[in-house]
Amino acid sequence: MIYRTGKEWQAARNKRVALFGMSGLGKTFLSSMLRETGDWFHYSVDYRIGTRYMGERITDNFKRHAMQVPLLRELLMSDSVYIASNITFENLAPLSTYLGKPGDPAQGGLDFDEYMKRQNQHRAAEIAAMLDTGHFIERAQDIYGYGHFVCDTSGSVCEVVDPEDADDPVLTDMESRMLLVWIKGSEEHVAELVRRFDRAPKPMYYQPEFLHDAWREYAAEHAGPVNPDAFIRWTYARALAHRQPRYAAMARRGITVTAEEVAAVRNASDFIQLVAHAIDRKE
């Protein structure tokens, strides 16, 4: 780890962390709180994916749908309207909408092959966005003068790396630049995330092997056209269980804090103290 003790972390002039874990446990909450102090640069991997690497695909998808409406088609063909994605750190809906959900097109689903194509695009984009972190650390210091840096990773970061490979290029790059911080949820948190997802299912990125297995198993258990929302709900809880050991393996390269501890953080000082305790208790 780049900080060997809690004292060393607290004394560091340039604090750099990468937060990872399940979506909904506090990564963006902490990152936004730190950003608002004016001392921390907030690098959102999902935002980078949705702008730099997937932005054109997202916008083209909007245009593809708009071209099906005669009025909008006429305006687009004459360059009379402009269609763009308004993705933000807090609103990643344009990216989620592009990724879509596999299933019956009549129910808003994507053909499975097209879905997998977009999943593969996301994988490449996420790896590239993670490897951009070093550039943004330098940019944050050289251009804006930020002393501290927080990388707000995607919930699917554990799917695009091999946590058991000591030479994994993405993890090796991350841990050489930042302290890896796992926000670990309890079984109660997992249950609540599943309930929340069930109320409003959204697209996610999954490992190809996991997704192919889930698709085959679901098709074997459910006759007829696949309802996209039903499939995503069915898959989500399995995905959380699949990710837990991968997160845990990543955390061996860094530290672990609990979602309960994160919920108690009220300011940057609380966060710095929490990380210091987590470093020391790992020893």
Side-chain angles (χ1 to χ4, degrees):
M1 298 192 304
I2 63 172
Y3 310 103
R4 293 167 294 179
T5 67
K7 186 176 181 179
E8 183 177 316
W9 153 259
Q10 290 176 307
R13 293 183 59 188
N14 302 118
K15 296 177 174 64
R16 303 192 299 272
V17 296
L19 306 177
F20 69 94
M22 292 184 293
S23 297
L25 292 184
K27 297 190 303 292
T28 301
F29 160 74
L30 287 177
S31 299
S32 298
M33 180 197 68
L34 294 172
R35 182 184 72 236
E36 289 170 3
T37 68
D39 297 324
W40 290 75
F41 186 92
H42 176 189
Y43 177 63
S44 168
V45 171
D46 279 328
Y47 181 79
R48 180 68 168 169
I49 292 170
T51 52
R52 172 64 176 84
Y53 293 106
M54 302 282 278
E56 186 173 299
R57 298 184 191 280
I58 291 168
T59 301
D60 283 351
N61 192 47
F62 292 161
K63 291 177 180 178
R64 190 174 296 109
H65 286 277
M67 287 289 284
Q68 298 173 23
V69 180
L71 175 61
L72 292 178
R73 175 186 174 86
E74 180 180 341
L75 293 172
L76 279 172
M77 294 299 289
S78 62
D79 290 328
S80 299
V81 295
Y82 177 74
I83 295 178
S85 165
N86 190 28
I87 196 169
T88 67
F89 287 179
E90 289 76 22
N91 178 21
L92 301 168
L95 176 59
S96 294
T97 299
Y98 175 75
L99 289 178
K101 307 168 189 178
D104 182 15
Q107 301 179 67
L110 288 173
D111 174 80
F112 189 74
D113 288 342
E114 175 63 24
Y115 178 71
M116 289 305 302
K117 176 182 174 182
R118 297 185 187 191
Q119 288 273 302
N120 290 333
Q121 291 168 353
H122 186 280
R123 176 184 178 83
E126 183 160 358
I127 290 171
M130 289 304 310
L131 293 175
D132 284 345
T133 304
H135 165 69
F136 275 89
I137 289 173
E138 295 174 3
R139 187 182 183 206
Q141 292 178 331
D142 294 344
I143 299 178
Y144 304 110
Y146 282 103
H148 310 309
F149 185 93
V150 55
C151 176
D152 179 6
T153 70
S154 166
S156 58
V157 63
C158 66
E159 306 279 19
V160 302
V161 299
D162 182 354
E164 302 294 345
D165 181 0
D167 297 319
D168 181 87
V170 176
L171 284 178
T172 299
D173 187 74
M174 288 174 66
E175 68 178 340
S176 72
R177 302 177 187 278
M178 302 171 287
L179 176 65
L180 304 186
V181 181
W182 179 26
I183 303 177
K184 183 180 180 181
S186 64
E187 291 184 7
E188 290 75 18
H189 286 110
V190 172
E192 174 55 30
L193 291 176
V194 171
R195 285 193 293 270
R196 189 186 307 171
F197 191 88
D198 190 63
R199 291 193 297 270
K202 63 179 182 180
M204 290 177 56
Y205 173 78
Y206 303 95
Q207 271 198 326
E209 299 83 1
F210 170 84
L211 193 54
H212 278 288
D213 289 344
W215 183 253
R216 285 192 295 266
E217 186 178 343
Y218 186 88
E221 294 181 8
H222 300 80
V226 173
N227 179 291
D229 282 347
F231 173 74
I232 290 295
R233 288 188 180 102
W234 182 88
T235 305
Y236 182 70
R238 289 163 175 77
L240 295 187
H242 165 76
R243 288 179 175 183
Q244 282 298 96
R246 301 183 69 85
Y247 288 139
M250 287 178 62
R252 291 198 289 270
R253 301 172 182 244
I255 62 171
T256 300
V257 299
T258 68
E260 290 88 352
E261 289 174 325
V262 167
V265 170
R266 293 292 175 266
N267 50 51
S269 295
D270 287 350
F271 174 74
I272 291 170
Q273 189 67 30
L274 172 60
V275 170
H277 285 319
I279 292 173
D280 287 339
R281 72 189 176 201
K282 181 168 182 172
E283 295 300 321

